[in-house]
Amino acid sequence: MDKLDKAYEAVDLLETLGLPVSNEQSNAIAQMEKDYLRDEIIPLIKQELEPMVKKMRNQFYMKVVYSKETGLDIHLSEPNMQSSNALSGTDERNYRKKEFIIRVVFPGNRVSCQKIVANTFFDVIKYAGAENVERLGIMALGQNIITNELHEKEQYRPYQREIEPGVYVNTFLDTDKKYEVLKMINRELNLNLTIEKVLSD
């Protein structure tokens, strides 16, 4: 949130001085907000919510709406896409993304396709070599995904997994981001892996 706070302060300063805020600056802040929601807020909501609902037997839809005027509101709706209260087509597609996991085929035909996507992610990084991945400079939560330090914020430390003594892999990324990172690692390090998203059982 630190970068966002600084961006807000910069815009507030421009407005205080009577200077215009360009569309490019407004769009950049909007993208920063989306990245923050995707990379930090949504995984935390999922972490808190999943233990509460995992015993439920039926599918359900929740829609989160926020505006500065009305604050935060959460709606529960029936999974009927014709209903005016149901999710939009875009929301439905985003929901369905959560049904995918990552399947990786290594040279020699070993397959890693685990229901906990972080395990597959970790498996590939271990195969690639932590030092090799670190050199790629892939960032998450303000630091390299390979680090020899636990994150300064305690809430993120459970997502850091020790790959070798004193060296940690940050797995705090959503499935789409993990998929993109693995494709990049495969491409940059010439690992000859086959990486794809498949439907979870």
Side-chain angles (χ1 to χ4, degrees):
M1 193 70 179
D2 291 344
K3 289 183 179 179
L4 262 177
D5 286 336
K6 290 177 181 177
Y8 295 146
E9 289 171 5
V11 169
D12 290 343
L13 179 60
L14 288 174
E15 291 176 343
T16 300
L17 295 174
L19 299 174
V21 178
S22 68
N23 288 336
E24 185 178 44
Q25 289 169 321
S26 296
N27 291 338
I29 289 176
Q31 185 60 52
M32 289 173 68
E33 289 177 332
K34 289 178 183 177
D35 292 342
Y36 179 72
L37 286 167
R38 183 195 64 221
D39 297 337
E40 300 199 33
I41 299 298
I42 292 176
L44 284 176
I45 292 173
K46 183 179 178 183
Q47 180 186 6
E48 295 296 323
L49 182 61
E50 196 162 25
M52 301 178 191
V53 300
K54 65 181 180 180
K55 291 185 179 180
M56 290 186 179
R57 299 183 179 182
N58 295 297
Q59 185 176 7
F60 66 89
Y61 293 80
M62 296 179 73
K63 185 174 182 179
V64 180
V65 180
Y66 170 77
S67 73
K68 290 181 70 174
E69 293 75 22
T70 61
L72 184 69
D73 198 5
I74 301 176
H75 303 282
L76 183 66
S77 62
E78 296 296 326
N80 176 4
M81 297 313 295
Q82 302 303 317
S83 167
S84 60
N85 291 325
L87 299 180
S88 68
T90 301
D91 291 331
E92 169 68 0
R93 286 192 295 274
N94 288 339
Y95 174 84
R96 289 188 180 278
K97 286 180 182 178
K98 297 182 184 301
E99 298 176 354
F100 286 89
I101 57 176
I102 299 173
R103 181 176 185 270
V104 180
V105 182
F106 295 82
N109 292 324
R110 181 173 76 85
V111 176
S112 183
C113 184
Q114 304 183 54
K115 288 187 177 181
I116 299 175
V117 177
N119 291 342
T120 302
F121 185 76
F122 184 84
D123 195 8
V124 172
I125 292 177
K126 189 171 183 179
Y127 175 82
E131 187 175 331
N132 295 328
V133 175
E134 182 182 14
R135 284 200 296 265
L136 298 179
I138 302 166
M139 304 294 289
L141 297 176
Q143 63 183 30
N144 197 305
I145 63 168
I146 306 296
T147 178
N148 58 6
E149 298 178 344
L150 290 172
H151 200 279
E152 60 180 7
K153 295 184 178 178
E154 195 169 333
Q155 71 221 56
Y156 299 130
R157 293 177 187 174
Y159 299 96
Q160 292 181 283
R161 298 178 56 178
E162 196 169 39
I163 194 167
E164 54 188 65
V167 180
Y168 304 93
V169 177
N170 185 353
T171 65
F172 192 80
L173 305 94
D174 63 25
T175 298
D176 283 340
K177 189 66 175 179
K178 284 185 176 78
Y179 176 75
E180 293 171 8
V181 167
L182 292 183
K183 296 279 281 188
M184 175 186 175
I185 292 171
N186 183 43
R187 182 178 65 252
E188 295 296 323
L189 299 181
N190 298 312
L191 300 179
N192 297 315
L193 307 176
T194 299
I195 302 172
E196 57 188 352
K197 287 191 284 187
V198 297
L199 279 170
S200 176
D201 294 336

